[in-house]
Amino acid sequence: MRKIKTPDHFISLPEAVKLNREQVAENHKRYLNSGLAMMLSLLNFDKQFIKAEGIKVWDSDGNLYLDFLGAYGALNLGHNHPRVLAALEQVKEFPNMLQASLGTVVSALAQNIAAITPGDLQRSFFCNSGAEAVEGALKLARAATGRQRIVYCEGSFHGKTMGALSVTGREQYQKAFQPLIPGIVSIPFGDLNALEDKLKDKTAAAFIVEPIQGEAGIILPPAGYLSGARQICAKYNTLLIFDEIQTGLGRTGEMFACRHENVTPDIMCLAKSLGGGVMPVGAFITTDDIWERAYGGMEKARLHTSTFGGNTWAAAAAIATLEVLYEEDLPERARKNGDYLLAGLNRLKENYPLIKEVRGRGLMAGLEFNQPEGFVVKATLGLANKISQEYMGSLIAVELLNKYRIITAYTLNNPNVIRLEPPLQVTREQIDTLLEALDGIFRKHKGFISLAATSAKTIFKSFTKKSS
């Protein structure tokens, strides 16, 4: 067989894993998202990580970090869990994708999902991401009810594909892509009166809601909100969709966050940690009745499909993930260690006025910071001003990363909130390391001005170093 020479500047895999930090940054700036690469480099967030295990990651200089970000809740099992990697080894000779057949491993995964989800949720559709799961859930609701309107909550985050973006509650992400999907209306999160007002004309196909709003800043609903939403949706024959993409699979101290109120939705969306941090897996699951109304029979069976959805490797990773969650009782560990983490954060709040509020449940915690109005950082770079004024969480994240080697990030819809979503195996010793680091930061920086000045220096040093 004739071997064709690879093009010039083509990088082989053995060469790729040997790229240094500067080469990686240059590739991102030239061939990927240059604006994002610039922002991360200014904050010194462009470190090159080359090894990961559990909650620990190592950079190219051999430094050890603790990952308290957990890929936005996708690493409930941590990095490179051996059981998930072993699962891929078990199916390596199976056809991974063969659409002209019924998948063996995915059939087992579907049965397992039905076994662990609440109520009579039974039929699953598998895809590759949370946004795809939301897209599928919205389509299912319209197809099953014959209605068009979808109701969602202000401050929500359900993804950035067109349908998911239409029910995501932040204008900054929507504006460039308008007009979005028609027939979509928003209401305040936690307001049952507003929900009933939008449903009473019986034209809404579904109400989609996160049991805890993640990107809004880890916002818990008022007590009774989820059960109240369940009753109102049932009253007007509107389907209730719970987006458990970030809250599900043990994160909040229950396998699913809706179990804190013992509520069962009509449709549930899953993704993120379902693939064990190794494979991209998303899913929505619904009842037999709703599925049959939307996609029952051969004529409607292929109205909604996915090329990669439910492939063998993804399904195997998901089965192994569910096994580990139960065998290691990770939801209970998340509950106990989450209580420990939140108690520690509240002690810090008592001592430091910079902290506005501590929120969370299980190992899904948010730390919101106070910020003076009208303050402008006297920094050389305009970008430093913007980051310092609007992204208080990033200032804390910069300190945690560069001084204490702890990885965190702010929430997308509220940049003044640091999110803490470590792998569920996190130990109390590691939590103490985080709490001590935060205490050190707040003790050193008594207020916003000191933090902003430190951040501005980091940005300026990064800028001058990368410009030279």
Side-chain angles (χ1 to χ4, degrees):
M1 179 181 294
R2 184 170 69 94
K3 184 177 181 180
I4 302 174
K5 184 180 181 297
T6 56
D8 292 338
H9 309 297
F10 187 90
I11 303 174
S12 68
L13 181 58
E15 293 170 331
V17 298
K18 294 179 181 179
L19 292 174
N20 62 36
R21 179 177 176 178
E22 289 72 26
Q23 291 170 319
V24 169
E26 181 60 28
N27 281 347
H28 275 266
K29 291 174 182 177
R30 180 171 294 189
Y31 303 113
L32 291 161
N33 189 331
S34 58
L36 179 61
M38 177 61 72
M39 183 179 74
L40 292 179
S41 67
L42 288 176
L43 294 171
N44 208 21
F45 264 56
D46 61 342
K47 298 182 187 296
Q48 184 183 28
F49 295 106
I50 61 172
K51 180 182 176 182
E53 177 183 314
I55 190 174
K56 301 175 181 178
V57 293
W58 289 262
D59 68 17
S60 53
D61 295 323
N63 298 310
L64 169 64
Y65 298 73
L66 295 181
D67 185 357
F68 270 81
L69 176 59
Y72 308 119
L75 291 174
N76 287 10
L77 267 58
H79 292 273
N80 298 326
H81 196 286
R83 285 282 294 279
V84 180
L85 298 178
L88 302 185
E89 185 69 19
Q90 290 182 57
V91 298
K92 66 180 182 180
E93 293 186 358
F94 274 68
N96 192 36
M97 295 184 294
L98 188 57
Q99 278 73 15
S101 69
L102 297 175
T104 300
V105 181
V106 73
S107 73
L109 173 60
Q111 179 174 326
N112 293 351
I113 294 288
I116 69 170
T117 47
D120 56 355
L121 297 175
Q122 176 183 338
R123 293 189 180 270
S124 291
F125 178 91
F126 293 103
C127 50
N128 310 285
S129 69
E132 289 180 64
V134 169
E135 293 279 347
L138 299 179
K139 289 176 65 179
L140 174 70
R142 283 185 167 181
T145 64
R147 301 175 178 180
Q148 290 190 350
R149 291 180 69 211
I150 305 289
V151 180
Y152 73 100
C153 288
E154 298 167 3
S156 63
F157 186 90
H158 298 290
K160 292 180 179 176
T161 52
M162 192 63 78
L165 183 61
S166 299
V167 294
T168 286
R170 193 177 187 198
E171 185 182 4
Q172 177 181 339
Y173 300 133
Q174 296 177 327
K175 189 174 182 180
F177 308 104
Q178 292 173 341
L180 298 174
I181 305 300
I184 310 293
V185 294
S186 66
I187 59 172
F189 181 65
D191 188 336
L192 291 176
N193 291 329
L195 176 61
E196 183 155 21
D197 183 64
K198 295 299 182 184
L199 300 190
K200 63 186 179 183
D201 64 0
K202 298 184 178 181
T203 62
F207 170 51
I208 182 168
V209 63
E210 301 158 276
I212 297 174
Q213 285 195 326
E215 303 306 333
I218 318 299
I219 307 297
L220 276 66
Y225 178 65
L226 300 182
S227 57
R230 171 69 284 175
Q231 294 171 8
I232 293 170
C233 286
K235 180 179 179 180
Y236 298 108
N237 295 319
T238 298
L239 299 183
L240 176 61
I241 303 172
F242 280 163
D243 179 345
E244 291 262 11
I245 290 164
Q246 191 167 172
T247 56
L249 302 177
R251 171 60 54 187
T252 68
E254 291 278 358
M255 187 59 73
F256 304 102
C258 63
R259 301 309 294 158
H260 291 287
E261 289 194 25
N262 293 316
V263 179
T264 300
D266 298 299
I267 307 168
M268 179 184 287
C269 298
L270 301 173
K272 287 192 182 293
S273 64
L274 183 57
V278 175
M279 294 297 296
V281 187
F284 65 81
I285 182 169
T286 190
T287 65
D288 180 67
D289 173 65
I290 294 171
W291 181 273
E292 287 298 318
R293 281 191 274 151
Y295 300 132
M298 291 188 290
E299 184 178 340
K300 296 187 291 184
R302 296 189 62 80
L303 287 179
H304 187 70
T305 58
S306 170
T307 300
F308 286 89
N311 68 76
T312 299
W313 282 39
I319 289 174
T321 297
L322 298 180
E323 289 175 342
V324 172
L325 285 168
Y326 278 96
E327 291 174 13
E328 298 185 11
D329 199 8
L330 293 182
E332 179 64 9
R333 289 179 63 177
R335 184 187 69 79
K336 291 180 178 178
N337 284 336
D339 288 346
Y340 184 81
L341 170 62
L342 290 167
L345 294 174
N346 276 303
R347 285 194 300 271
L348 291 174
K349 180 179 181 295
E350 293 174 2
N351 294 327
Y352 299 106
L354 192 64
I355 301 174
K356 179 180 180 180
E357 190 173 6
V358 173
R359 298 185 292 269
R361 182 170 285 157
L363 286 171
M364 184 177 182
L367 195 60
E368 184 166 8
F369 303 102
N370 284 307
Q371 190 175 48
E373 295 182 5
F375 180 78
V376 178
V377 181
K378 293 181 179 179
T380 302
L381 297 174
L383 180 59
N385 278 347
K386 182 175 179 61
I387 290 174
S388 298
Q389 293 180 72
E390 299 181 10
Y391 296 88
M392 183 62 176
S394 70
L395 309 189
I396 307 296
V398 166
E399 283 278 283
L400 285 171
L401 180 71
N402 293 313
K403 184 172 182 179
Y404 296 95
R405 294 176 184 156
I406 296 174
I407 301 169
T408 59
Y410 56 81
T411 54
L412 291 177
N413 287 354
N414 187 345
N416 284 321
V417 176
I418 281 282
R419 64 179 344 132
L420 300 169
E421 298 183 63
L424 305 188
Q425 300 97 330
V426 65
T427 66
R428 294 200 173 184
E429 181 182 11
Q430 291 164 337
I431 292 173
D432 286 339
T433 298
L434 168 72
L435 294 173
E436 290 166 7
L438 288 169
D439 184 69
I441 292 172
F442 300 140
R443 197 181 324 114
K444 176 182 177 183
H445 304 286
K446 299 298 183 181
F448 176 79
I449 296 176
S450 176
L451 266 170
T454 298
S455 177
K457 289 178 183 177
T458 298
I459 293 170
F460 185 70
K461 284 174 64 178
S462 297
F463 181 78
T464 53
K465 179 180 177 182
K466 291 170 174 61
S467 298
S468 59

